């Protein structure tokens, strides 16, 4: 990876731009969402915000105010070049701006992750994949499958790998011409991606080679390196090993074919859509 480009800015100005005040933990910056996590207090350097209600379902009034405050806090940190822990439909993840090289470097460093392992790009809706149709929007990837296929699989627990575009940050996965597109079936993440307004880099919230995380306490050793932890409650059934498999990763960069890069948690349902509905053939060497 090439040297990181600075993208710090003034955190106070960024916070103000999304309606937050800058201050110590527990101030108006955190809002009424901030409560000590149970069973352990937040580690130094991390702020914890608990989503009202279920993090996977958009909060209704009067909890809607707390939901919006959590979104604003996360967007402020992401725009300031920070790394934020977030809930998804499969696992807890680490998110940062895909356009911020310093933030990308931070993700690899705090996970102890090899830079040869790519990060996915998280978007808020299928329509965002096609934003390049309008000339003033950046293009994220080259889509060579029907839009109906994308809508059948996304949002959902899958990562669709396609040919990357020239507009993506060259420090994002510079070793591959491909990029994985992820749209979690999780309302907070969809709202966050749309409110942020640009591509988010997303990976699992755990040290490299260690088990994936289904609740915020399971990656507590990473909290000191994070600016914000969004607690959406437990994800899935912690007693089932299948719940820690992560998304199913599918390469769709070759027209008419698909390649299963990682079986993940949605292999059977995803391959049924690809083969039975769209007639795609598995590539030679696919791990089916």
């Amino acid at each position: 990876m090439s040297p990181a480009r600075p993208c710090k800015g003034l955190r106070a100005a960024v916070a103000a731009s999304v309606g937050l005040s800058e201050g110590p933990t527990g101030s108006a910056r955190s809002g009424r969402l901030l409560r000590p996590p149970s069973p352990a207090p937040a580690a130094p350097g991390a702020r914890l915000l608990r989503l009202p209600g279920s993090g996977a379902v958009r909060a209704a009034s009067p909890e809607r105010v707390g939901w919006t405050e959590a979104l604003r806090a996360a967007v402020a940190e992401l725009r300031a070049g920070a790394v934020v822990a977030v809930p998804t439909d499969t696992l807890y993840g680490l998110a940062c701006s895909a356009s911020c090289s310093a933030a990308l470097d931070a993700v690899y460093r705090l996970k102890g992750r090899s830079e040869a392992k790519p990060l996915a790009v998280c978007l808020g809706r299928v329509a965002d994949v096609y934003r390049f149709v309008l000339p003033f929007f950046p293009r994220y990837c080259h889509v060579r499958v029907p839009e109906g296929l994308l809508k059948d699989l996304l949002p959902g627990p899958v990562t669709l790998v396609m040919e990357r575009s020239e507009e993506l940050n060259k420090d994002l996965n510079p070793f591959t011409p491909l990029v994985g597109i992820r749209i979690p079936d999780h309302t907070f993440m969809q709202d966050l991606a749309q409110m942020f307004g640009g591509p988010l880099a997303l990976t699992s919230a755990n040290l490299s080679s260690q088990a994936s995380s289904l609740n915020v306490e399971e990656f507590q050793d990473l909290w000191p390196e994070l600016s914000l932890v969004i607690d959406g409650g437990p994800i899935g059934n912690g007693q089932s090993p299948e719940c820690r498999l992560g998304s199913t990763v599918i390469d769709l960069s070759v027209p008419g074919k698909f390649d299963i890069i990682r079986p993940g948690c949605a292999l059977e349902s995803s391959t049924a859509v690809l083969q039975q509905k769209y007639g795609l053939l598995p590539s030679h060497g696919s791990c089916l």
Side-chain angles (χ1 to χ4, degrees), residues 6 27 34 43 64 67 100 108 110 118 171 186 198 274 277 283:
S27 69
L34 185 58
R64 178 63 183 172
W67 182 277
C100 180
Y108 280 102
L110 68 90
D171 287 336
H186 193 285
L274 296 173
K277 186 170 183 178
S283 298

Side-chain angles (χ1 to χ4, degrees), residues 1-151:
M1 182 175 294
S2 60
R5 296 191 296 270
C7 51
K8 296 179 180 178
L10 295 176
R11 191 177 297 273
V14 175
S17 73
V18 292
L20 296 172
S21 62
E22 183 72 11
T25 301
S27 69
R29 182 188 186 207
S30 300
R32 66 182 182 86
L33 286 176
L34 185 58
R35 298 192 294 270
S38 178
R47 290 188 299 138
L48 182 90
L49 293 181
R50 282 202 178 97
L51 293 178
S54 170
V57 179
R58 187 177 293 108
S61 182
E63 292 182 322
R64 178 63 183 172
V65 174
W67 182 277
T68 302
E69 287 301 311
L71 284 171
R72 287 176 174 173
V75 168
E77 296 295 346
L78 292 167
R79 288 179 179 171
V83 180
V84 175
V86 292
T88 76
D89 53 349
T90 55
L91 308 165
Y92 271 87
L94 300 178
C96 72
S97 170
S99 301
C100 180
S101 299
L104 297 173
D105 286 341
V107 169
Y108 280 102
R109 184 180 66 254
L110 68 90
K111 279 178 62 76
R113 182 182 177 92
S114 166
E115 293 185 357
K117 294 183 177 180
L119 305 177
V121 167
C122 177
L123 303 176
R125 54 185 180 173
V126 171
D128 291 337
V129 180
Y130 291 92
R131 289 176 69 181
F132 64 85
V133 173
L134 301 177
F136 48 84
F137 277 134
R139 169 192 329 204
Y140 301 136
C141 62
H142 301 282
V143 182
R144 293 189 170 87
V145 294
E147 183 176 2
L149 187 154
L150 297 184
K151 291 183 175 180

Side-chain angles (χ1 to χ4, degrees), residues 163-175:
E163 183 182 348
R164 66 181 290 152
S165 73
E166 297 75 18
E167 286 83 355
L168 273 177
N169 181 4
K170 290 180 172 54
D171 287 336
L172 175 70
N173 311 333
F175 46 83

